[in-house]
Amino acid sequence: MKALLCKEFGGPDDLVLEDIPEPKVSAGMVKIEIHSVGLNFPDTLIIAGKYQFKPEFPFAPGMESSGIITEVGEGVTDLKVGDRVMSNHGHGGFAEYVVAPAEATYKIPDNMPYDQAAGFPVTYGTTYHALVDRGELKKGEVLLVHGAAGGVGLNAVELGKALGATVIGTVGSDEKMDIVRQYGADHVINYSTESIKDRVKELTGGKGADVIYDPVGGDAFDQSMRCINWEGRLLVIGFASGRIAELPTNLTLLKGCSVVGVFWGEFARRTPEKNRANFQTMLDMVEKGEIKPHVSANFPLEKGGDAMKALLSRKYTGKITITVKD
């Protein structure tokens, strides 16, 4: 099969397209003929040796994919050959086939295209777990979403609105405001031209946001601690800004708020049944048309490095995917 490989730590231009043997299926696993791959920020870290997991060389990046099951391993009972599925498998997606854990593979609705499915597991899995399990977002609360036009951010806007929240999104340019509004945001703040803290306080009558979804860190985190409501929950999703903020604990005391870590991958590993229940809820929403993943660009497999550079440019909204098979 063809695979786009990382043979040594480096950047997107160092990936190499080669022919390698197809992977072999084992117990508890399924083999998927890949149609589409979802791209995530950690994919750029794993090829640089900056991610917490470091596969053996050579490896194909690609944490999530969609396609058709061609083989099932011993002990797999809920999935069968021919099922249309999506899966999160850590790496290996930049290839024509991948072997994935059955417990992390989900049948997709007939009305769900492969590119939407490929970009679904990591970002929607993270966001639903964050808002529902960790943030306990309630109908009528105010949700502030940083990086609202990005992969996880746009999911948070969409799911937050579906859960009945008043949603405020933050973006870095006016060009990204429209897509955030289309996905349900009641208000959008361009943080390059106005203060997040002041605008959130203005929009909430001085109270601040009840739940804050922060995949950005850095300055966004600093601003969040100054516009969070009493007993608010600040969800730490990631650090796309590149700076890990320091927590002023005096503000947690004065505001009676919580700073809550969100590590969806570990949650899924420790409580797979709860994770699968979350996914079933979300896939039911997809089937009913209540949520619709946004894919802004597709690249062919041989251009996977260019897809990564596009992701790092921060010029795209929603998800970027790689098409392996039409």
Side-chain angles (χ1 to χ4, degrees):
M1 68 173 186
K2 292 189 182 301
L4 194 62
L5 300 175
C6 176
K7 305 182 81 170
E8 61 181 8
F9 291 133
D13 289 332
D14 297 313
L15 298 176
V16 181
L17 187 67
E18 290 188 359
D19 288 313
I20 62 172
E22 291 182 15
K24 297 184 182 298
V25 74
S26 56
M29 309 290 279
V30 297
K31 185 175 179 179
I32 301 170
E33 180 185 45
I34 295 178
H35 281 241
S36 187
V37 183
L39 194 57
N40 295 278
F41 184 67
D43 290 318
T44 68
L45 299 178
I46 200 169
I47 66 169
K50 297 179 180 179
Y51 197 55
Q52 54 258 48
F53 303 114
K54 296 178 174 61
E56 293 183 7
F57 295 120
F59 68 88
M63 306 178 71
E64 58 183 353
S65 64
S66 65
I68 297 174
I69 292 179
T70 60
E71 192 176 348
V72 297
E74 182 181 353
V76 177
T77 58
D78 295 335
L79 299 166
K80 65 182 185 302
V81 172
D83 282 345
R84 297 175 72 246
V85 295
M86 64 184 184
S87 182
N88 56 284
H89 35 69
H91 65 280
F94 283 31
E96 293 180 317
Y97 292 88
V98 70
V99 168
E103 70 176 18
T105 301
Y106 316 89
K107 287 187 276 191
I108 60 176
D110 292 339
N111 65 338
M112 191 177 200
Y114 284 118
D115 62 342
Q116 291 183 14
F120 194 95
V122 173
T123 56
Y124 278 90
T126 296
T127 300
Y128 191 90
H129 170 55
L131 297 181
V132 175
D133 301 322
R134 303 295 285 153
E136 299 180 347
L137 180 66
K138 301 175 183 64
K139 185 176 181 179
E141 288 191 316
V142 175
L143 170 66
L144 173 63
V145 179
H146 294 305
V152 290
L154 204 58
N155 295 168
V157 170
E158 182 183 32
L159 284 172
K161 197 61 184 175
L163 292 167
T166 295
V167 180
I168 304 171
T170 72
V171 296
S173 67
D174 289 344
E175 290 77 16
K176 294 181 178 180
M177 298 177 82
D178 285 345
I179 188 65
V180 177
R181 291 193 182 98
Q182 288 174 31
Y183 269 72
D186 298 277
H187 310 280
V188 186
I189 300 169
N190 182 347
Y191 59 78
S192 66
T193 60
E194 55 186 336
S195 163
I196 293 173
K197 173 181 72 72
D198 293 344
R199 186 72 175 124
V200 170
K201 287 290 192 73
E202 179 185 342
L203 292 169
T204 59
K207 294 179 179 179
D210 300 297
V211 177
I212 301 177
Y213 183 95
D214 181 17
V216 177
D219 293 343
F221 182 94
D222 297 342
Q223 293 273 310
S224 295
M225 286 303 301
R226 287 162 174 78
C227 64
I228 192 169
N229 198 2
W230 175 254
E231 295 187 341
R233 289 84 74 199
L234 200 170
L235 306 175
V236 179
I237 312 297
F239 317 100
S241 70
R243 179 171 72 85
I244 297 175
E246 295 184 2
L247 174 63
T249 52
N250 63 311
L251 292 180
T252 64
L253 185 154
L254 292 172
K255 292 173 176 283
C257 65
S258 303
V259 177
V260 185
V262 179
F263 189 177
W264 167 69
E266 186 65 10
F267 160 77
R269 187 187 71 81
R270 289 173 178 264
T271 56
E273 291 184 2
K274 173 61 176 170
N275 182 60
R276 291 194 72 85
N278 285 355
F279 268 82
Q280 190 56 57
T281 297
M282 290 188 287
L283 289 170
D284 288 345
M285 295 171 76
V286 171
E287 191 167 21
K288 295 173 184 175
E290 295 174 355
I291 58 175
K292 183 180 179 181
H294 175 64
V295 177
S296 60
N298 285 286
F299 290 77
L301 179 60
E302 62 270 20
K303 298 291 186 181
D306 290 340
M308 284 190 169
K309 288 188 284 187
L311 176 70
L312 291 170
S313 76
R314 305 189 191 282
K315 294 179 181 178
Y316 289 82
T317 58
K319 291 290 287 198
I320 295 172
T321 61
I322 294 169
T323 299
V324 179
K325 181 177 181 179
D326 292 330

